[in-house]
Amino acid sequence: MVKSALKVHFWTCEAQNRTGNLSVFQGASSLSLDAKGRLSVPTRHRDVLAATASGQLTITKHPHGCLMVFPRPEWEKFRERIAQLPMSAQWWKRIFLGNAMDVDMDATGRVLISPELREAAGISKDTMLLGMGNHFELWDKATYDEQEAKAMQGEMPDVFKDFSF
């Protein structure tokens, strides 16, 4: 029950940029962490993050083994929803809220991924950053490639049976 309630939030929300146009974070970027564990946010996302979140982000664990990277206003909405879950979801609260780390983009668009979060997601250097609507997922590249290949070889979920491509 908790997982299905959370899935609804993962699908899509939109962030508004300076011009009033709606922007959705989407697309994949293959990136490498530097020696200090910093990630350079792709240029195409920096302006929106600066305008909508003043470059402030929150990073936490995702149940699939990657990290979720939220612009701060979106994180605050997510955090409120998680905080309202019943006691039966206490461990999920701990996973999401207890592991959340606030970070700021520096002047060159880099964010520091803490050693604890890098270890939790198995990230050492090569990563895949995915725009997921209102937030990003940050994956270890090899893990992402393996999981994507498995998904592509498997059957599509029933929800796609009547979906037209």
Side-chain angles (χ1 to χ4, degrees):
M1 182 162 135
V2 173
K3 282 187 179 180
S4 63
L6 295 174
K7 283 180 186 176
V8 172
H9 181 75
F10 294 153
W11 284 103
T12 187
C13 285
E14 296 174 330
Q16 194 166 19
N17 67 19
R18 274 183 253 206
T19 62
N21 297 326
L22 292 177
S23 298
V24 174
F25 301 116
Q26 63 184 26
S29 300
S30 183
L31 306 167
S32 293
L33 297 182
D34 69 12
K36 294 181 180 179
R38 294 176 298 194
L39 178 80
S40 281
V41 175
T43 306
R44 70 180 182 272
H45 300 305
R46 287 182 198 169
D47 287 342
V48 174
L49 291 171
T52 62
S54 301
Q56 297 178 319
L57 306 171
T58 300
I59 305 171
T60 194
K61 291 180 181 179
H62 187 291
H64 293 156
C66 64
L67 301 176
M68 292 185 288
V69 182
F70 287 92
R72 190 70 46 79
E74 291 299 327
W75 166 252
E76 290 168 1
K77 293 176 196 174
F78 183 76
R79 181 185 62 208
E80 289 303 314
R81 293 181 65 205
I82 296 297
Q84 293 175 15
L85 293 173
M87 280 301 289
S88 60
Q90 193 65 25
W91 269 106
W92 287 102
K93 286 182 182 181
R94 288 181 184 111
I95 290 167
F96 292 119
L97 302 180
N99 289 286
M101 300 223 174
D102 293 335
V103 297
D104 293 324
M105 277 194 313
D106 68 14
T108 61
R110 296 176 302 187
V111 294
L112 178 65
I113 311 298
S114 74
E116 296 85 359
L117 289 173
R118 290 193 315 259
E119 183 180 337
I123 295 171
S124 56
K125 183 162 178 65
D126 295 327
T127 69
M128 184 64 70
L129 183 72
L130 302 174
M132 298 296 293
N134 71 325
H135 70 283
F136 300 92
E137 289 182 354
L138 182 63
W139 288 84
D140 169 72
K141 183 158 179 22
T143 302
Y144 178 79
D145 290 345
E146 178 185 319
Q147 294 297 322
E148 182 183 69
K150 274 188 204 175
M152 295 292 280
Q153 291 172 358
E155 297 252 343
M156 279 193 155
D158 287 343
V159 71
F160 284 112
K161 292 219 189 272
D162 294 324
F163 193 84
S164 177
F165 289 93

